[in-house]
Amino acid sequence: MLGFNLPVSPQYIVPPLVLAIIATLLMAFDMRDTLEFHRQLITDGQVWRIWSSQYIHTNWTHLGLNLVGILFIWVLHAEHTSIKRYFAHVLLLGLWTGLGIWLFCPDIRVYTGLSGLLHGIIVWGALKDIQVKEPTGILLFLGIVGKLAWEQYAGPSTDVGNLIDSRVAIESHLIGALGGLVLAIPLFTQSLGLNKSETK
């Protein structure tokens, strides 16, 4: 946990700031019609929408909620990652989430937003906390699991849906979180390797 020592070095500030600026510019220039996940248009050959849809939003409130998510992750886990790793996670989890929606959520016809991939990033960060024996890591991880379980049980929030002018795609949260688990596998294979070395 970072406490009151916020991660203000450029290597920690630049990646989330760039992601926030890109998402804001895409909103300002109204790129939704060109980039959103639209199942019929993807079927017709516009396959880039599977990935590009992860970085655009339905309205400014939707964007604002995800910018808060970016800020939250920066405060909690910026020092766990590097510029290269941050953007690798953003790109890979964006593709993972889009493909997951395409393959496993046929009822989702239109989709936008960073929330799926952000769930993946925060899951990875919580597992990194656990790997480095940060005591709040397990609490954060259990909190995310609880949130996801509640969403799957209770369904999408109507209030949030009204704010963002769209149904909350809770499926993307689960898919993104599973992507974060996959990205975290090397953390624990490395830990197992170190533990084996220490016992020899």
Side-chain angles (χ1 to χ4, degrees):
M1 195 72 173
L2 299 174
F4 294 104
N5 298 316
L6 292 176
V8 294
S9 297
Q11 69 189 81
Y12 302 136
I13 292 177
V14 169
L17 185 60
V18 169
L19 178 59
I21 289 171
I22 288 172
T24 301
L25 288 174
L26 290 174
M27 186 72 201
F29 285 99
D30 195 16
M31 298 298 293
R32 182 178 172 189
D33 287 346
T34 304
L35 302 179
E36 72 180 0
F37 182 103
H38 190 294
R39 190 166 291 274
Q40 185 57 54
L41 293 178
I42 294 169
T43 301
D44 292 342
Q46 297 183 23
V47 294
W48 67 83
R49 293 173 178 270
I50 289 174
W51 174 72
S52 64
S53 55
Q54 310 304 307
Y55 309 101
I56 58 171
H57 297 83
T58 55
N59 60 22
W60 288 101
T61 302
H62 189 197
L63 172 64
L65 291 172
N66 281 330
L67 292 180
V68 170
I70 292 172
L71 178 65
F72 181 69
I73 292 168
W74 169 72
V75 170
L76 286 178
H77 295 142
E79 292 179 347
H80 282 336
T81 190
S82 63
I83 292 175
K84 182 178 178 180
R85 180 182 289 128
Y86 187 96
F87 287 116
H89 285 181
V90 166
L91 296 176
L92 289 172
L93 287 167
L95 182 59
W96 170 281
T97 305
L99 284 172
I101 293 169
W102 171 253
L103 294 172
F104 302 113
C105 305
D107 291 339
I108 295 181
R109 313 303 299 175
V110 176
Y111 173 81
T112 61
L114 283 164
S115 59
L117 74 87
L118 291 179
H119 275 74
I121 292 174
I122 199 167
V123 164
W124 182 91
L127 292 172
K128 180 66 176 178
D129 276 345
I130 294 170
Q131 185 211 25
V132 300
K133 299 180 171 30
E134 172 63 51
T136 56
I138 188 67
L139 295 176
L140 179 59
F141 182 75
L142 291 175
I144 298 165
V145 171
K147 173 185 181 293
L148 293 169
W150 175 253
E151 285 181 340
Q152 299 307 309
Y153 170 76
S157 167
T158 302
D159 291 338
V160 176
N162 290 336
L163 285 174
I164 68 173
D165 292 331
S166 178
R167 172 187 174 275
V168 178
I170 57 174
E171 300 88 346
S172 74
H173 299 171
L174 180 59
I175 292 167
L178 291 173
L181 285 175
V182 172
L183 287 178
I185 290 173
L187 298 177
F188 294 95
T189 56
Q190 290 166 11
S191 294
L192 289 173
L194 288 173
N195 290 337
K196 288 178 181 178
S197 298
E198 290 170 358
T199 57
K200 289 181 180 178

